[in-house]
Amino acid sequence: MSARGRAWAGRGGAQAQGSTAPDARRGARRPTSPPNADVAAVLAILAPGSGHLYAGRPRAALLWLLVILAGYWAVQWPGFVLHALSIFSARRAAAGRDGGP
């Protein structure tokens, strides 16, 4: 190990001698499982846009939230229809298919 490497390791750096464990790397992330489509649908039922947020689509979540709230504000039926479309879209997005805006 060079003098520079020893100095780094002496300061508590990640390059310590003999440190080859995978978790010694900085910023290592655990693999995550894909979102569950049924969980996305339930979240979308509870709060418009939350299913898309769970599926990793924050822009679509915000768009669905605004559109559904506008539908509920205008008249009740458009809100219900848009909410149902959002639930279907969130389920498709979590399943890995494109599901709307």
Side-chain angles (χ1 to χ4, degrees):
M1 183 181 281
S2 69
R4 190 174 183 182
R6 281 191 296 267
W8 175 256
R11 288 189 294 223
Q15 297 280 335
Q17 188 173 2
S19 175
T20 58
D23 56 4
R25 296 179 302 197
R26 290 195 131 195
R29 295 183 179 179
R30 285 200 258 156
T32 58
S33 61
N36 185 321
D38 294 330
V39 171
V42 169
L43 288 172
I45 290 168
L46 298 175
S50 62
H52 286 89
L53 197 60
Y54 169 75
R57 301 184 61 208
R59 288 184 189 153
L62 180 62
L63 182 62
W64 275 113
L65 175 65
L66 294 176
V67 167
I68 291 168
L69 289 178
Y72 278 128
W73 177 77
V75 181
Q76 204 68 31
W77 278 108
F80 285 131
V81 171
L82 292 169
H83 202 154
L85 288 173
S86 170
I87 294 164
F88 177 72
S89 175
R91 192 174 193 302
R92 286 178 49 111
R97 293 179 235 114
D98 186 38

